[in-house]
C-alpha cells in the first residue's frame, strides 16, 4: 500500500474529526468534493456472478439459515427415526418433592404422642378398654364386687344401730344429736369406701392404659403382677382419703347441727351458703387429688409424694381436668340410666309375682347387672383419668418424648415392660391444646 493510500485511509476513519470529512448530520458520512474516496469493502455490496471460467467464491457459512442441530433430523430411508435426547426421561429425577407442612407425630398405640384433645382422650380410653377387656372390666368388676359386699354389710349394721337408738329414745329429743351423727358418719363412711374402690381401680387401670400407648396388651393377672409393689401404698391412699372424708363430713354436720340448734331458723342463713361453699371446696380438692392413684402406681412413689404430684400436675389445668371428668361422668350416667331403666322395669314386674323363687332371681339379676354396669362405668372413667394423667405429663414434662424413647428401648420386648416408669420430667412450655386442626 502506498503512502497516499495509507493517509487516505487514516483520515477516513470513524474517529477523525477533520473538517474535510465530517458528517453534517447524524446520518451517513459524506465525503467532501475534491477529496479521494476511501476503498469500498468487497463484502459491503452484493457480488455478481463470476465470469465464465473463474472459480466459484467460497460460501459464507453464516450467511444462510442454519438448522438446529438438536432437533430431530429426518432419518434415512429404511432406518427408524432417532429420538432427541431432550425427549428422553431424566434418569436422575426422583419422585415428587415433599411439600412443606405439618408432619403428624407418631401414633404407635391408642393415642398420638403429643398433647391430646377431648375427643382423643375419650377415644383412647375406649380403645384401651376394648384392647384390654379382661384387665379393665374384669378388675373393675372384682373391686366393685368387694366394695359392694362391704357397703351392704356396713349399711345393714348402721341401720340396726339407728333403729335401736330410735326405739330406745322415742319419747325425747336427746337422741337427735347421736342419731344425726351416726347417719352422717354412715353416709360419709359408705361414700368414702365407694370412693376408695374407685381410686383402687384408677390406680390399677393406669397400667394397661399406659402400655396401650405403645400398643402393648395387658392381661387380667398381669395387672396385679405389675402393681404388686404399689398395692400397699394404694390401699393406704384410699384409707387416708376415706378417713379424711369421714372426719370432714362428720365435723361439718355437727357444726351445722349446733348452729341450727342455737339460732333456730336464723341459723339456716349461715348453714345453707356454708354448705354450698363446702361442696365447692370438696369438688376442688377431689379434682386436685384425682391423679394421685395413677402417679402412685406408675411412678412407684409414696402416698404423700403421689398427693403432691397430683396437686402439681393439675396446677393451671384444674378447669380442663374438671371439665373432662364432669363430661365423662355425665355421659356414663346417661348411658347407665338408659340401660338400667328397662332392667328395673322387668325386675319390678317379677317382684309382683307370688313365687319367692322369682323374687330372689330378680333381685340377684338386678344386683349382678348393676355390678356389671358399675364395672363398665368405673373402668371407662378410670381410663379417662389415666389418659388425663398422661396428657398433663406430656404438656408439662415432655412425657411423649420419654414414650418415644421407650418405644425404641430393647426392653420393650419384655412382656412386663412398663413405659414411662423411669421417665425423667423435663421442663417444657407447651401451649394448652393440640396443634391447630388436630382437635
Amino acid at each position: 500500500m502506498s503512502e497516499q493510500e495509507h493517509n487516505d485511509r487514516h483520515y477516513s476513519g470513524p474517529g477523525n474529526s477533520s473538517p474535510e470529512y465530517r458528517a453534517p448530520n447524524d446520518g451517513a458520512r459524506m465525503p467532501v468534493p475534491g477529496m479521494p474516496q476511501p476503498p469500498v469493502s468487497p463484502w459491503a455490496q452484493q457480488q455478481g456472478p463470476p465470469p465464465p471460467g473463474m472459480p466459484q467464491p467460497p460460501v459464507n457459512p453464516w450467511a444462510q439459515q442454519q438448522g438446529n442441530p438438536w432437533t430431530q433430523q429426518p432419518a434415512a430411508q429404511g432406518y427408524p427415526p432417532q429420538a432427541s435426547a431432550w425427549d428422553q426421561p431424566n434418569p436422575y429425577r426422583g419422585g415428587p418433592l415433599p411439600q412443606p407442612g405439618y408432619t403428624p407425630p407418631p401414633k404407635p398405640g391408642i393415642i398420638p404422642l403429643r398433647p391430646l384433645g377431648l375427643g382423643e382422650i375419650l377415644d383412647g380410653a375406649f380403645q384401651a378398654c376394648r384392647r384390654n377387656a379382661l384387665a379393665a372390666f374384669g378388675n373393675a368388676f372384682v373391686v366393685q364386687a368387694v366394695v359392694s359386699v362391704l357397703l351392704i354389710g356396713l349399711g345393714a349394721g348402721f341401720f340396726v344401730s339407728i333403729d335401736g337408738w330410735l326405739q330406745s329414745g322415742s319419747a325425747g329429743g336427746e337422741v337427735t344429736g347421736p342419731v344425726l351423727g351416726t347417719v352422717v358418719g354412715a353416709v360419709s363412711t359408705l361414700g368414702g369406701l365407694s370412693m376408695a374402690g374407685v381410686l383402687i381401680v384408677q390406680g390399677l387401670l393406669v397400667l394397661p392404659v399406659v402400655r396401650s400407648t405403645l400398643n402393648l396388651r395387658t392381661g387380667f393377672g398381669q395387672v396385679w403382677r405389675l402393681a404388686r409393689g404399689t398395692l400397699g401404698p394404694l390401699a393406704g391412699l384410699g384409707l387416708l382419703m376415706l378417713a379424711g372424708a369421714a372426719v370432714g363430713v362428720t365435723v361439718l354436720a355437727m357444726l351445722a347441727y349446733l348452729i341450727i340448734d342455737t339460732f333456730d331458723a336464723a341459723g339456716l342463713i349461715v348453714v345453707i351458703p356454708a354448705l354450698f361453699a363446702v361442696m365447692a371446696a370438696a369438688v376442688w380438692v377431689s379434682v386436685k387429688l384425682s391423679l394421685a392413684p395413677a402417679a402412685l402406681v406408675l411412678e412407684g412413689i409414696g402416698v404423700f409424694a403421689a398427693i403432691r404430684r397430683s396437686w402439681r400436675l393439675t396446677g393451671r389445668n384444674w378447669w380442663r381436668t374438671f371439665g373432662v371428668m364432669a363430661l365423662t361422668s355425665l355421659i356414663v350416667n346417661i348411658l347407665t340410666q338408659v340401660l338400667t331403666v328397662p332392667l328395673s322395669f322387668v325386675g319390678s314386674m317379677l317382684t309382683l309375682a307370688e313365687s319367692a323363687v322369682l323374687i330372689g332371681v330378680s333381685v340377684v339379676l338386678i344386683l349382678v347387672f348393676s355390678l356389671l354396669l358399675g364395672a363398665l362405668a368405673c373402668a371407662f372413667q378410670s381410663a379417662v383419668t389415666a389418659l388425663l394423667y398422661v396428657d398433663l405429663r406430656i404438656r408439662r414434662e415432655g412425657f411423649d418424648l420419654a414414650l418415644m424413647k421407650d418405644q425404641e428401648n430393647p426392653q420393650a420386648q419384655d412382656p412386663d415392660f412398663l413405659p414411662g416408669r423411669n421417665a425423667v420430667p423435663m421442663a417444657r412450655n407447651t401451649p394448652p391444646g393440640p396443634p391447630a386442626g388436630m382437635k
Side-chain angles (χ1 to χ4, degrees), residues 267-277:
L268 295 176
I269 302 176
V270 178
V271 171
I272 293 177
L275 180 62
F276 285 104

Side-chain angles (χ1 to χ4, degrees), residues 14 82 122 129 136 168 182 211 253 269 381:
Q82 297 180 357
L122 297 177
C129 294
S168 62
T182 303
R211 284 171 55 85
I269 302 176
Q381 288 180 294

Side-chain angles (χ1 to χ4, degrees), residues 295-307:
L296 187 148
V297 174
L298 183 62
E299 302 179 30
I301 55 181
V303 174
F304 295 100
I307 292 175

